[in-house]
Amino acid sequence: MRFGLHGLGIGSGSRPEIIDVTARQAERRGFGTLWCGEHVVMVDDSSSTYPYSDDGRIAVPATADWLDPFTCLTYAAAVTSTIHLATGVVLLPEHNPVIMAKQAASLDRLSEGRFRLGIGIGWSEDEFDALGIPFAGRAARTADYVHAIRTLWRDDPATYDSRYISFHNIRVHPKPTQSHLPILGGGNSDRALRRVADWGDGWYGFNLDSMSAVRDRLHRLTGFCTDDGRDIADLHVAVALRTPARADVAELTDLGVTELVLVDAPPDSPDECINWVDGLADRWIP
């Protein structure tokens, strides 16, 4: 079991001095991964239901600073040398997959192979509308983009032709440092787990409300993997609980969870951030 920290890129976690000290101290204290999420657009009154809370509303205010996750994680990569970096998650159907392939590979190069690309299909129709991207069909578009990105990372020159993206005999460099840069699927629904089994190298279960929910979701994911002739043990399984308890770690390990992600907002000052990271490490990391 490794422990991740999901707190950079938003609010106080968007400030350079907070990213610097948090990343350095998290690495020093043995955290395995720094996670950073994405929203390009936020609205005051969403017409869509946020799927990771009981009231259907996201806790982050629309006025909060929210960094581009690749920029944030590249900054963190520059001040660290061993801790892994992951998007948790980037909303893939909102992006051009050729540009995304270059962004992800560039971060993997600059971090010397420490990056994981966590992706989701998105939930906010308002965001898609603002970007001029169809909200309908985003799951199919995501799967197509995943295959296109892997083609670009693998082939040189690369050719891909599908309903959503086509390119012929193009070269996109750099290639990732890792021979197989992992792509993790986010989302807790049956459909999200089905997508992970279909094309994912791992799963990021976010803001699960109980250990019972973890057991249920892993049971479903195991079944989908079996249907596809895959072994869930080959996946990187990261979960974030709403109210994690130290006593849960043993069961999470037995369930095959690779990483417990702690979701918390960093304090406003660098000195407080050191104490914050130390407090989390003292509680969670053996």
Side-chain angles (χ1 to χ4, degrees), residues 223-237:
F224 290 140
C225 286
T226 300
D227 292 343
D228 281 2
R230 304 187 66 189
D231 186 346
I232 191 174
D234 295 332
L235 301 183
H236 182 95
V237 176

Side-chain angles (χ1 to χ4, degrees), residues 79-215:
V79 299
T80 57
S81 59
T82 59
I83 195 168
H84 284 81
L85 311 159
T87 49
V89 292
V90 66
L91 306 175
L92 183 56
E94 295 181 355
H95 297 269
N96 181 292
V98 180
I99 295 175
M100 177 65 65
K102 178 177 280 286
Q103 288 177 306
S106 297
L107 177 48
D108 196 56
R109 277 291 188 96
L110 291 173
S111 66
E112 299 182 300
R114 292 185 281 141
F115 179 57
R116 292 186 180 92
L117 179 62
I119 64 171
I121 69 168
W123 58 269
S124 172
E125 189 165 1
D126 303 292
E127 186 168 16
F128 278 75
D129 287 346
L131 296 171
I133 297 169
F135 188 66
R138 65 195 187 282
R141 186 181 298 109
T142 298
D144 204 31
Y145 285 4
V146 167
H147 298 313
I149 288 169
R150 285 179 170 150
T151 299
L152 289 164
W153 288 342
R154 182 189 65 240
D155 297 345
D156 191 36
T159 295
Y160 189 83
D161 192 12
S162 72
R163 174 183 176 186
Y164 296 103
I165 181 73
S166 295
F167 47 80
H168 300 275
N169 296 320
I170 64 173
R171 300 182 188 271
V172 177
H173 289 265
K175 303 299 185 187
T177 295
Q178 299 174 78
S179 59
H180 184 85
L181 195 163
I183 298 179
L184 280 58
N188 302 338
S189 68
D190 280 3
R191 289 182 178 180
L193 298 177
R194 174 73 269 176
R195 291 190 290 271
V196 170
D198 285 345
W199 48 252
D201 298 306
W203 172 52
Y204 183 24
F206 184 72
N207 214 29
L208 292 156
D209 61 9
S210 65
M211 284 298 299
S212 176
V214 174
R215 289 189 292 270

Side-chain angles (χ1 to χ4, degrees), residues 241-258:
L241 287 159
R242 291 187 195 177
T243 54
R246 191 66 182 81
D248 297 332
V249 172
E251 183 178 359
L252 290 168
T253 303
D254 290 341
L255 289 169
V257 173
T258 315

Side-chain angles (χ1 to χ4, degrees), residues 48 69 72 149 176 186 229 285:
S48 301
C72 181
I149 288 169
I285 301 177

